[in-house]
Amino acid sequence: MKFFTQHFNRHHFFHAPHRWFLALLLSPIQAAEHHYKKRYHLRFAHARKLFIFDLTLLSLALGLATMTAAWLWYDPTVTALVSLSLDPAVKDAAGPDRIRSGEYVSYTVRYRNDSDVSLSDPELRVHFPAGFMVESALPSDRYSSSTETFSLPDLTPRSGGEAIIRGRFFGTPDTEEQIIAYLTYAQAGKTWREVKRSPVITTLRGSVLETELTVPDTILELGSSPITLLVRNPYDQALPSILVPFPQADGFTLTAVSSSAGRIEPGAWFLPPLLPGQEERLTLRLDSSLAAAVTELELAFTPQFKLQQHVFSQVKVGRRLKVSHPRLSVNGAWGDGRTKIVPGHTAALAITVENNGDLPLSDLSLSVSMPAALVDTARLSALNLGAYSGGVFTVGARQHPDWGQLNPGEARSLVLQIPIRSVPQGGSDLVLLPAVRASARPAAPGAKTIQAEGLLPGLAVGTVLLLEADARYYTAEGDQLGRGPLPPVVGKQTKYWALIKIANTTSRVQNLAFRAVLPAHIVWTGKSSVSRGSDATYNPSTRAVSWSLPAISAHESVGVYFELGFTPGEEHRGQTPPLLEQISVLGEDSYISNTVSASAAPLNTGLPNDARARQKGVLTE
């Protein structure tokens, strides 16, 4: 371009700067001319036409965009020039944000037309939550209760007005409730209607219903506690029907005891509408059965208003209760670490009861099972302070006054003397396993008796050998066993039979050995009989009769029978000389590894158990 080449130089920069600056603005066109000439070998006149065409298209696009935006942003309504507000008012309230559930609230709706056109057929409607009960509206002549709408007069420019709606506001405290005011109208000369909307968020703070919960600060993990729930209406207007659900959770149950009004159903208390100043009371019983790890229990009641088909929860009333854990433990051991005992002996049983809970305990009692088949119960009662009944020996504060109270951390000890029967009864390989149970009552209202059980170490009870020895001339049935004159005659031999019975009781006995000694005037005839094993043997040098058996089972009996001869001398006349002396049996109790033995009284010719022989006479003649 000539203008660019003539004026874009140093001379014009200093002497005609306005021409130099204009040339600078045309420099892009100059650069485009060189570009087209160099790349496309075109004349710049054609490039200039193309450049002008592009600028025209760009201008057209910008114009269309501007018109589209203006069309989209164009608002034919006057809602921006119509003001609408909604303000609550509560009597004696600290402010509009302190509305309680159930209070009487007045909402004032203010509206104004700040536009330059009149608004025709305006209608005002306020959408309230379900819990707002409309009681009155002003102006009443323009309010329709069926549609909940005010039909207002036409609003001329710069005019306005207000409407008031009063009623009771029931809802759930601390929950946001949205109230929306709608003003609908049509601009003068137009048919379509416009809507002005004004929302208000209201949060109810508290409730006019007062609820009080009376409950002990501490409850037991296992026990019963009284609870009182008081419901009061301090407001100057009646309250609707009230429902109080009972809280439910693992570890406790609530049982209604009585109520001053309403009806009690499983899990809830139903109350009719409460008049101003009216209060009602509900008494319940809290039965707790909590785990040992629970240290606190939260108990809360949430009363509810019932309005038609709607239920509104009110302020929750609750308490955090401390849970006490009364504990009782019992343990015991046999004296000297004893693990076995011989029948007829006495064992010492040491028992300790400890309060390892957090409450004092009273009326401590201890019960120990003592089977009469193993324990000599008569001697048990004689050796110890307590009472025996039904297989259980019981000790309490009556016998031990210091057992009346047991504070946390304290313990009581007792040593019982346990006499074992001389002949235990029952099965085989007997074990004395006393079950001990301690019981006490926690020092707290409504507390239930707590118990602790323990199984003491077993005490193995050994067996007993029973030895019976009898001398006979006749059997019990009257058959003759003996030979020779009866009564015995000096110088003539009379033969008797010695009948030995050995009975085992409760455990296996090994190496059983029987032994008896013949007096000098008695002779061994050589006749014998046994129920098991080898025959009895006689040793002339020791004058001893012996018999042995490798083992005898529990509850098994064996017999040894042999004949003895007696030739009386003058020194025996009128007497009943002895037949057999030092009668004994010996063995090893394989259950408790203890030697067991038995002995019998000497036998003589008096034959105390042979009635027929005694009729004939037993004194030597």
Side-chain angles (χ1 to χ4, degrees):
M1 297 178 64
K2 292 182 179 181
F3 185 84
F4 177 81
T5 57
Q6 290 177 359
H7 297 90
F8 193 73
N9 51 45
R10 182 176 181 182
H11 173 77
H12 285 85
F13 179 77
F14 290 104
H15 296 89
H18 60 285
R19 294 180 180 273
W20 181 91
F21 182 72
L22 182 59
L24 178 64
L25 295 178
L26 295 175
S27 61
I29 299 176
Q30 175 69 17
E33 178 182 0
H34 284 286
H35 174 74
Y36 275 92
K37 286 182 178 181
K38 183 178 180 180
R39 184 173 182 85
Y40 301 107
H41 306 286
L42 297 175
R43 292 177 60 86
F44 181 69
H46 300 294
R48 182 170 52 190
K49 294 177 182 179
L50 182 61
F51 180 73
I52 294 173
F53 177 74
D54 290 341
L55 289 179
T56 303
L57 288 179
L58 179 61
S59 300
L60 181 61
L62 291 175
L64 289 175
T66 302
M67 288 186 292
T68 302
W71 180 79
L72 291 175
W73 291 339
Y74 173 69
D75 184 7
T77 68
V78 294
T79 55
L81 300 175
V82 175
S83 62
L84 182 64
S85 64
L86 182 64
D87 300 311
V90 181
K91 181 182 179 181
D92 300 329
D97 292 335
R98 302 304 302 177
I99 302 175
R100 296 178 297 171
S101 174
E103 275 192 314
Y104 190 83
V105 186
S106 174
Y107 280 93
T108 301
V109 186
R110 295 180 176 87
Y111 51 90
R112 180 177 175 81
N113 177 16
D114 291 322
S115 69
D116 295 330
V117 298
S118 296
L119 305 181
S120 303
D121 299 326
E123 291 183 349
L124 177 65
R125 182 173 64 88
V126 181
H127 173 73
F128 288 102
F132 189 86
M133 303 289 104
V134 177
E135 295 186 1
S136 65
L138 296 175
S140 59
D141 57 336
R142 293 189 173 275
Y143 181 75
S144 171
S145 59
S146 59
T147 60
E148 299 181 347
T149 303
F150 289 94
S151 297
L152 304 176
D154 292 348
L155 295 177
T156 59
R158 310 296 186 274
S159 66
E162 68 178 26
I164 300 175
I165 302 176
R166 299 186 178 97
R168 303 283 297 280
F169 201 159
F170 297 95
T172 300
D174 301 321
T175 301
E176 290 185 350
E177 303 279 4
Q178 188 177 53
I179 304 173
I180 306 175
Y182 297 93
L183 180 64
T184 61
Y185 55 86
Q187 296 183 36
K190 297 181 180 179
T191 58
W192 72 82
R193 298 183 67 81
E194 301 174 10
V195 179
K196 178 68 176 183
R197 181 176 179 271
S198 178
V200 174
I201 301 297
T202 299
T203 301
L204 300 179
R205 305 295 183 180
S207 173
V208 298
L209 179 68
E210 293 182 355
T211 309
E212 295 180 7
L213 178 63
T214 303
V215 64
D217 294 331
T218 302
I219 64 171
L220 300 174
E221 66 170 348
L222 180 64
S224 299
S225 303
I227 294 177
T228 301
L229 185 67
L230 181 67
V231 177
R232 181 188 301 112
N233 177 15
Y235 204 52
D236 57 1
Q237 298 188 43
L239 295 178
S241 300
I242 298 172
L243 167 65
V244 183
F246 298 162
Q248 296 181 354
D250 294 336
F252 73 90
T253 58
L254 287 172
T255 303
V257 177
S258 63
S259 65
S260 59
R263 71 181 190 276
I264 299 173
E265 294 187 2
W269 181 31
F270 295 87
L271 278 172
L274 288 183
L275 299 177
Q278 182 180 357
E279 66 178 30
E280 302 298 342
R281 188 182 307 270
L282 173 67
T283 303
L284 302 111
R285 185 182 71 247
L286 172 66
D287 296 313
S288 54
S289 180
L290 300 167
V294 178
T295 58
E296 287 186 335
L297 175 67
E298 184 174 0
L299 186 67
F301 292 83
T302 304
Q304 301 173 346
F305 285 142
K306 294 190 65 178
L307 290 172
Q308 299 174 356
Q309 303 299 321
H310 303 282
V311 176
F312 301 99
S313 297
Q314 299 304 291
V315 177
K316 179 174 68 175
V317 57
R319 292 277 300 278
R320 187 173 293 275
L321 310 178
K322 179 183 177 182
V323 179
S324 290
H325 298 272
R327 287 285 185 274
L328 191 65
S329 64
V330 58
N331 58 76
W334 296 103
D336 301 327
R338 181 192 292 268
T339 59
K340 58 186 179 180
I341 191 170
V342 176
H345 288 206
T346 299
L349 178 59
I351 301 175
T352 300
V353 182
E354 183 178 1
N355 179 357
N356 41 24
D358 52 11
L359 283 178
L361 302 176
S362 60
D363 299 330
L364 180 62
S365 176
L366 183 68
S367 300
V368 185
S369 63
M370 289 293 168
L374 299 180
V375 177
D376 188 338
T377 57
R379 291 186 59 212
L380 176 68
S381 299
L383 293 174
N384 304 281
L385 293 176
Y388 182 84
S389 176
V392 177
F393 188 76
T394 304
V395 180
R398 177 182 298 180
Q399 294 82 18
H400 300 275
D402 61 332
W403 285 25
Q405 180 164 332
L406 188 63
N407 294 320
E410 291 184 346
R412 298 288 185 269
S413 297
L414 175 70
V415 177
L416 296 177
Q417 300 297 325
I418 312 300
I420 305 301
R421 290 175 59 113
S422 299
V423 182
Q425 299 175 357
S428 302
D429 296 341
L430 302 180
V431 179
L432 177 59
L433 284 171
V436 58
R437 174 182 295 174
S439 62
R441 181 178 294 275
K448 298 180 180 179
T449 298
I450 63 171
Q451 295 182 345
E453 296 183 355
L455 189 62
L456 304 181
L459 188 66
V461 180
T463 189
V464 174
L465 289 177
L466 302 178
L467 178 61
E468 295 181 6
D470 193 13
R472 283 188 170 271
Y473 193 88
Y474 294 98
T475 66
E477 292 76 17
D479 297 331
Q480 183 175 341
L481 291 174
R483 295 291 184 268
L486 193 67
V489 178
V490 174
K492 295 183 179 180
Q493 188 181 55
T494 300
K495 296 179 180 180
Y496 302 89
W497 275 85
L499 309 180
I500 308 300
K501 181 181 178 181
I502 304 171
N504 187 18
T505 53
T506 60
S507 303
R508 187 171 184 269
V509 174
Q510 297 176 334
N511 303 322
L512 185 69
F514 167 78
R515 186 178 186 277
V517 177
L518 275 60
H521 53 270
I522 302 298
V523 297
W524 174 262
T525 66
K527 293 182 179 181
S528 66
S529 175
V530 295
S531 61
R532 275 188 58 193
S534 303
D535 286 338
T537 60
Y538 174 69
N539 187 343
S541 61
T542 60
R543 301 189 60 80
V545 179
S546 60
W547 172 81
S548 63
L549 193 65
I552 180 173
S553 301
H555 306 292
E556 183 181 1
S557 297
V558 294
V560 181
Y561 318 103
F562 47 87
E563 188 182 56
L564 300 174
F566 170 49
T567 302
E570 285 295 335
E571 69 276 15
H572 300 131
R573 191 181 299 274
Q575 299 179 4
T576 55
L579 282 172
L580 192 63
E581 298 176 326
Q582 302 179 30
I583 307 170
S584 64
V585 64
L586 187 68
E588 182 180 348
D589 187 342
S590 60
Y591 178 46
I592 65 171
S593 301
N594 181 69
T595 300
V596 58
S597 63
S599 60
L603 301 180
N604 58 54
T605 59
L607 309 180
N609 297 321
D610 193 339
R612 185 173 180 182
R614 292 182 65 82
Q615 288 178 356
K616 287 191 173 185
V618 293
L619 296 177
T620 304
E621 295 181 349

